[in-house]
Amino acid sequence: MSVLVLDGTQRGIVVTNTPGANASSVAETALMFLFMSGRQFASKLINSNTKSLALSTGNSFGYELSHKIVGIIGYGNIGRKIARLLSGFNVKILVNARHKYVTNNGEMASSVEIYKKADYIVLALPATHETTHCSYARFTDRFSSAL
């Protein structure tokens, strides 16, 4: 949603644009969700809330992030910070962005390649007309036919 600068100014409201100002907080939150999904946090929380003693199927301890492939779709301020945070976890990073970038701990890849190879996919997209309402479900719907 855009803010009309003139309207704000007339009302005595200072309007600023601070790209990247919260990139670290958002990147850290994304990393937290990667850890939580690998450790099956949500399903364990649901089981604890229903007082179920049943262990989840598969690996009841979850999965380590180390030695996995993480796809990052969008490599702006937030995407680059996520990649930097992941550099200490021995993961391979596949990056998809509108522009070519050199990545220290990964490589550029197509969206289809990321969909086929990544163990985890992070959508770090700018808020544009093309990305509004973009979700993992819509992403997978788009590329599942490519398999």
Side-chain angles (χ1 to χ4, degrees):
M1 172 183 288
S2 75
V3 175
L4 297 175
V5 176
L6 186 57
D7 281 351
T9 305
Q10 289 173 346
R11 291 183 171 99
I13 300 169
V14 177
V15 179
T16 63
N17 180 17
T18 55
N22 67 343
S24 291
S25 297
V26 174
E28 289 171 7
T29 301
L31 198 59
M32 174 192 68
F33 283 122
L34 280 175
F35 286 124
M36 289 172 65
S37 67
R39 296 298 178 179
Q40 303 166 352
F41 182 81
S43 63
K44 290 179 180 169
L45 182 63
I46 290 167
N47 284 343
S48 69
N49 286 340
T50 60
K51 305 206 184 308
S52 168
L53 297 176
L55 292 175
S56 59
T57 58
N59 182 349
S60 62
F61 298 109
Y63 302 95
E64 293 181 355
L65 187 58
S66 298
H67 307 290
K68 298 291 191 280
I69 299 173
V70 178
I72 301 174
I73 309 292
Y75 206 60
N77 289 320
I78 295 168
R80 288 192 303 272
K81 287 200 182 269
I82 292 168
R84 264 186 248 125
L85 289 170
L86 287 170
S87 66
F89 290 96
N90 198 22
V91 299
K92 179 178 180 181
I93 296 176
L94 299 177
V95 173
N96 181 268
R98 293 181 283 186
H99 310 286
K100 294 254 182 215
Y101 290 94
V102 174
T103 61
N104 294 334
N105 55 336
E107 61 191 50
M108 296 296 293
S110 70
S111 297
V112 172
E113 183 180 2
I114 289 173
Y115 180 76
K116 287 180 180 180
K117 294 181 177 179
D119 299 296
Y120 297 91
I121 298 175
V122 178
L123 300 178
L125 300 168
T128 66
H129 178 70
E130 293 83 22
T131 62
T132 299
H133 305 297
C134 186
S135 67
Y136 180 74
R138 289 183 70 195
F139 176 79
T140 56
D141 287 347
R142 179 176 174 198
F143 294 108
S144 60
S145 62
L147 296 178

